């Protein structure tokens, strides 16, 4: 018993010293903080862009379906979702960073790229949510004299939200983790921050463990938040 | 183009509807619906009764033919359909209440949004109509907290809140448990007595006989026979109608 305690204590002291060395030399921990900040900025920015693009594409698609004169709109929406979903986001990021948007600041490029990427998935999520609402709801709205847009805004979309929100929660989490490839274009995100510390200190474990734990904690936190929102939503709907 | 007769509310001219090359549902329906008419539309399942009714407010776009409402051609290119639909209430078989809103919001959302009626005024009006169908105490409830019969009565009131000139009913009692059919038919009967123009697709022959002033028998995509309830039920002429009545009466 005694020996085990001593071994434990020794191990902890050594580990603690190692942590100090790894994270405090040259203010290495600041790399993690900068990384975390950038990861959050990119994720939230991309999410905002994704929601806007996704809603727009889904609604455009809804209104152009079955209207011959709007078939080009529908076609463009289809091309967007198909192309974007068919290309790995890293490739997209490289194309934007070194090509199309090469004059722009890296984080801005990342926000735009991840936003455009996630918009394609959001569009499908939102379209699915809209389609899950009973057709009779739109008809009831129209029969009262609402325009298609009015009925969409007041009647269909609020009901679609209950299908959409949980999926958007998942997309948010996926996005957060996906941004870990931002390091490919020289952005210091959480992952690259950790990796830089590993490089600087030759500590192969602790920096990456810290990164992993940071992601895990954020994902668990987000999951809880979305659960709470969902519960609120279903309560207020009383269905 | 305007129709001349002042007493005619809806005028249907050579209405045809097919869903694709092969499904011809309506093959030339002609009918004038007068103010104050209570018209029941009967016919076998799949004969196009719902399609006919939904063409009247253009929820279904006619393949050809014309629909006039209050003298304006709904099938015309420049017609503001939404404006006309405000004057044509519709009640669905499946109620189609808005489940995310309270009964009160179901009733007031269209009047407030479309007719710009102040909220208090719309609510007062809704409450008055609700109490007329015996549901004043359910104004704060959500649709899923109501029985089928209550839902349908609310749906009728929702349409009435827009102060329509005609009410279209598509089998309003078909989705109800038998014991709730009566309460909905009673509301419709009162509505008819108050002079509302009504077009009712129904399998309730008792209602058709008692309340309507004209019955249309839809078969083969046309109005195969029409007349007063006494004529249609008492002295049917065409064979198809005789067979149909033998089955449902
Ligand atoms: N959107 C649609 N697409 C294709 N076919 C349709 C569509 N709506 C209706 N039909 C077809 O048109 C025909 C008439 O349908 P409708 O619903 O008008 O009949 P109905 O007389 O109301 O029948 P029921 O008494 O069963 O309600 C049916 O054969 C139906 O399958
Ligand atoms: Mg029908």
């Amino acid at each position: 018993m005694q020996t085990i305690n001593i071994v434990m204590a020794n191990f902890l002291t050594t580990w603690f010293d190692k942590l100090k060395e790894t994270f405090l030399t040259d203010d290495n921990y600041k790399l993690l903080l900068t990384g975390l900040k950038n990861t959050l900025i990119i994720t939230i920015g991309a999410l905002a862009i994704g929601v806007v693009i996704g809603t727009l594409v889904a609604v455009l698609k809804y209104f152009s379906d079955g209207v011959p004169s709007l078939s080009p709109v529908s076609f463009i929406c289809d091309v967007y979702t198909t192309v974007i979903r068919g290309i790995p986001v890293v490739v997209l990021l490289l194309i934007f960073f070194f090509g199309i948007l090469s004059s722009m600041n890296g984080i801005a490029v990342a926000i735009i790229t991840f936003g455009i990427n996630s918009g394609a998935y959001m569009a499908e999520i939102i379209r699915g949510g809209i389609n899950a609402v009973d057709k009779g709801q739109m008809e009831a709205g129209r029969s009262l004299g609402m325009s298609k847009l009015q009925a969409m805004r007041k009647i269909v979309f609020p009901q679609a939200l209950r299908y959409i929100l949980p999926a958007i929660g998942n997309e948010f989490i996926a996005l957060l983790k996906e941004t870990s490839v931002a390091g490919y274009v020289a952005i210091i995100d959480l992952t690259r921050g950790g990796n830089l510390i590993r490089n600087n200190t030759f500590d192969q474990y602790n920096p990456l463990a810290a990164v992993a734990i940071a992601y895990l904690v954020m994902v668990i936190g987000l999951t809880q938040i979305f659960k709470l929102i969902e519960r609120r939503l279903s309560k207020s709907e009383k269905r | 183009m305007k129709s001349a007769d002042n007493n005619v509310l809806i005028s249907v001219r050579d209405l045809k509807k097919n869903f694709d090359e092969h499904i011809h549902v309506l093959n030339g329906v002609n009918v004038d619906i007068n103010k104050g008419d209570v018209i029941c539309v009967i016919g076998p399942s799949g004969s196009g009764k719902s399609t006919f009714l939904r063409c009247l407010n253009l929820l279904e776009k006619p393949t050809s033919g014309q629909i006039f409402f209050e003298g304006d051609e709904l099938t015309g290119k420049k017609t503001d359909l939404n404006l006309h639909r405000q004057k044509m209430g519709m009640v669905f078989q499946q109620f189609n209440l808005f489940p995310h809103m309270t009964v009160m919001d179901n009733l007031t959302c269209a009047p407030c949004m479309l007719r710009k009626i102040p909220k208090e005024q719309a609510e007062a009006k809704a409450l008055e109509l609700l109490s007329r169908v015996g549901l004043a105490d359910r104004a704060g409830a959500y649709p899923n907290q109501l029985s089928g019969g209550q839902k349908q009565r609310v749906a009728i009131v929702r349409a009435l809140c827009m102060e329509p000139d005609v009410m279209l009913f598509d089998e309003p009692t078909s989705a109800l448990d038998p014991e709730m059919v009566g309460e909905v038919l009673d509301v419709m009967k009162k509505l008819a007595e108050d002079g509302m123009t009504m077009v009712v697709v129904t399998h309730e022959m008792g209602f058709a006989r008692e309340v309507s002033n004209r019955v249309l028998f839809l078969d083969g995509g046309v109005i195969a026979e029409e007349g007063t309830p006494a004529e249609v039920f008492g002295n049917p002429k065409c064979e198809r109608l005789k067979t149909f009545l033998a089955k449902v009466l």
Side-chain angles (χ1 to χ4, degrees), chain B residues 183-204:
Chain B
E183 64 193 57
V184 171
L185 291 182
D186 283 345
V187 168
M188 292 169 61
K189 211 166 130 186
K190 253 197 270 174
L191 205 55
E193 282 162 5
D194 291 346
M196 176 62 76
T197 310
M198 295 162 64
V199 183
V200 187
V201 172
T202 189
H203 289 296
E204 296 289 333

Side-chain angles (χ1 to χ4, degrees), chain A residues 134 136-137 139-148 150-151 153-156 158-159 236-239, chain B residues 54 57 59 82 85-86 88 90 92 96-101 109-110 113-114 142 144-145 158-159 162:
Chain A
D134 179 31
Q137 292 292 309
E139 286 188 348
R142 298 304 308 273
S143 80
L144 289 164
M146 293 180 197
S147 71
K148 219 172 168 184
Q150 286 170 323
R153 232 186 46 225
K154 266 291 232 213
I155 313 292
V156 178
Q159 293 181 64
S236 75
E237 268 188 19
K238 294 219 174 108
R239 286 208 278 182
Chain B
R54 292 157 56 80
N57 66 355
L59 272 190
N82 295 329
R85 283 198 183 122
Q86 293 183 21
M88 311 175 93
M90 190 170 220
F92 302 85
N96 294 349
L97 291 179
F98 307 134
H100 59 303
M101 299 180 187
C109 84
M113 179 185 348
L114 303 171
Y142 281 84
N144 77 325
Q145 298 167 320
R158 179 175 67 181
M162 290 299 284

Side-chain angles (χ1 to χ4, degrees), chain B residues 49-50 93 170-171:
Chain B
K49 303 182 296 295
S50 297
Q93 185 175 347
D170 189 2
E171 300 198 30

Side-chain angles (χ1 to χ4, degrees), chain B residues 19 23 25 43-52 60 93 171 203:
Chain B
F19 282 105
I23 312 175
V25 181
S45 181
S47 59
K49 303 182 296 295
S50 297
T51 307
F52 166 69
E60 215 71 76
Q93 185 175 347
E171 300 198 30
H203 289 296

Side-chain angles (χ1 to χ4, degrees), chain B residues 15 30 56 60 66 100-101 142 165 177 179 218 223:
Chain B
L15 170 64
N30 288 287
L56 292 183
E60 215 71 76
Q66 294 166 302
H100 59 303
M101 299 180 187
Y142 281 84
D165 295 334
D177 292 336
E179 74 268 21
L218 208 60
I223 297 176

